[in-house]
């Protein structure tokens, strides 16, 4: 999507014969859905959902792993309902902390890599600059705490890649972009928080970056660049500006709406109460991953516009 990206797109003709077995969790989630399609170019993808692999059971994870014996693990599953996690701490802990711990345990036993997805919510959001991978986590929500502990568990094993990202969107599943798209066709006005900063990040970018990492690991026997990486599109915005951009863009593309961006009101976080505390700053510094894997990322505006165009065509 744009010539500035160093990871777009993998042509169908690039498909190769199966030569590795990839265990992918969370195939029905936003990220997992995109990964399932993209990783098929690298081998046999054993993609699982909650019915095929019960991540609430450590024993079930161990039995499944022993049965399929994968060459790499990609954990895209998560308990991601940030507010609901506050009232379901045990379930969030099982999926976000215990499941990654068991997956990393099996990866260690079989000496295979594990790629684990994490979040900006591991930070408190008080830093004035984009967060570096080396910044100290300080989660302020139950969701963030369970994801942080999941990271700690995965980091105990050397051959890990942890990909932190933020404000994820795509054409599949639930996300802010799709919610706004529905609301501006029903409502005549909206209130949007304008004091939380971040960068919308597409699942397509996450899938392409993961593809690049997996391919690099496969092709480089001496690969040693394991660790934590931040992944986000270029630029930054806030929820208010993001909603206005979506509204203006779909109107430009010809969608009939019941409101315009001038009908969106900017409000503060204090005026929008939620069960879980949100980071005021969700910006992530992506210098490390760009340098390590020689990547360039497009702007968030380019990716959002592309997804909206596809969404309107499909409608």
């Amino acid at each position: 999507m744009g010539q500035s990206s160093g990871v777009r797109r993998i042509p169908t003709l690039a498909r190769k014969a199966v030569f590795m077995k990839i265990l992918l969790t969370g195939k029905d989630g936003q990220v997992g859905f995109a990964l399932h399609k993209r990783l098929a170019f690298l081998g046999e993808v054993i993609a699982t959902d909650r019915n095929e692999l019960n991540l609430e059971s450590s024993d079930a994870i161990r039995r499944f792993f022993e049965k399929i014996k994968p060459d790499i693990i990609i954990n895209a599953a998560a308990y991601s309902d940030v507010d609901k996690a506050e009232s379901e701490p045990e379930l969030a802990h099982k999926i976000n902390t215990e499941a990654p711990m068991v997956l990393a345990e099996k990866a260690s036993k079989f000496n295979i890599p594990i790629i684990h997805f994490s979040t900006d919510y591991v930070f408190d959001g008080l830093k004035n600059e984009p967060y570096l991978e080396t910044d100290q986590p300080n989660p302020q929500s139950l969701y963030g705490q369970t994801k942080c502990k999941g990271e700690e568990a995965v980091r105990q094993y050397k051959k890990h890649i942890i990909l932190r990202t933020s404000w994820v969107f795509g054409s599949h599943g639930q996300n802010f972009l799709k919610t706004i798209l529905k609301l501006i066709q029903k409502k005549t006005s909206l209130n949007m928080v304008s004091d939380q900063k971040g960068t919308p990040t597409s699942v397509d970018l996450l899938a392409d970056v993961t593809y690049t990492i997996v391919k690099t690991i496969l092709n480089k026997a001496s690969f040693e660049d394991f660790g934590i990486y931040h992944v986000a599109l270029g630029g930054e915005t806030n929820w208010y500006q993001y909603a206005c951009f979506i509204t203006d863009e779909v109107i430009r593309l010809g969608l009939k709406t019941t409101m315009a961006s001038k009908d969106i009101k900017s409000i503060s976080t204090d005026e929008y109460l939620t069960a879980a505390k949100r980071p005021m700053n969700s910006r992530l510094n992506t210098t490390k991953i760009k340098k390590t894997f020689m990547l360039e990322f497009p702007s968030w505006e380019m990716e959002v516009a592309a997804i909206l165009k596809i969404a309107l065509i499909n409608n």
Side-chain angles (χ1 to χ4, degrees), residues 32-49:
F33 185 82
L35 286 171
H36 192 187
K37 293 190 294 182
R38 191 72 82 252
L39 295 174
F41 292 99
L42 292 175
E44 178 188 2
V45 181
I46 301 169
T48 64
D49 58 20

Side-chain angles (χ1 to χ4, degrees), residues 227-272:
I228 300 174
Y229 292 92
H230 289 172
V231 185
L233 288 165
E236 63 181 67
T237 187
N238 60 54
W239 295 115
Y240 165 73
Q241 293 171 338
Y242 187 10
C244 288
F245 179 86
I246 292 169
T247 306
D248 290 339
E249 186 64 20
V250 294
I251 290 175
R252 186 185 70 80
L253 291 170
L255 178 70
K256 292 183 178 180
T257 64
T258 54
M259 57 178 287
S261 58
K262 65 179 178 60
D263 301 309
I264 302 176
K265 178 185 176 183
S266 169
I267 63 172
S268 68
T269 297
D270 292 339
E271 296 176 87
Y272 186 73

Side-chain angles (χ1 to χ4, degrees), residues 1-3 19 24-26 35 70 74 86 123 156 166 184 187 191 199 201 230 260 266 289 299 303 308 313:
M1 306 223 170
Q3 58 187 5
F19 59 89
L24 171 67
T25 66
L35 286 171
I74 300 179
E86 297 292 323
F123 297 117
Q156 299 307 306
S166 65
I184 61 177
K187 302 282 188 177
N191 294 331
T199 304
T201 302
H230 289 172
S266 169
I289 195 164
S299 69
E303 292 281 272
L308 288 173
I313 290 173

Side-chain angles (χ1 to χ4, degrees), residues 16 54 57 63-64 71 91 101 156 159 185 195 206 211 214 238-239 245 295:
K16 298 180 180 180
N54 180 12
S57 169
R63 287 195 300 269
F64 190 86
D71 299 306
L91 181 58
M101 178 179 66
Q156 299 307 306
K159 291 186 177 181
Q185 296 178 77
D195 55 359
L206 295 175
Y211 172 94
V214 173
N238 60 54
W239 295 115
F245 179 86
L295 302 173

Side-chain angles (χ1 to χ4, degrees), residues 4-17:
S4 63
S5 172
V7 292
R8 322 301 249 192
R9 285 286 172 218
I10 300 161
T12 303
L13 293 178
R15 185 181 293 274
K16 298 180 180 180

Side-chain angles (χ1 to χ4, degrees), residues 171-190:
S171 58
H172 177 81
Q174 299 301 312
N175 53 66
F176 181 83
L177 181 149
K178 293 180 72 175
T179 298
I180 295 300
L181 194 56
K182 291 177 182 178
L183 291 176
I184 61 177
Q185 296 178 77
K186 297 178 181 179
K187 302 282 188 177
T188 55
S189 65
L190 290 174

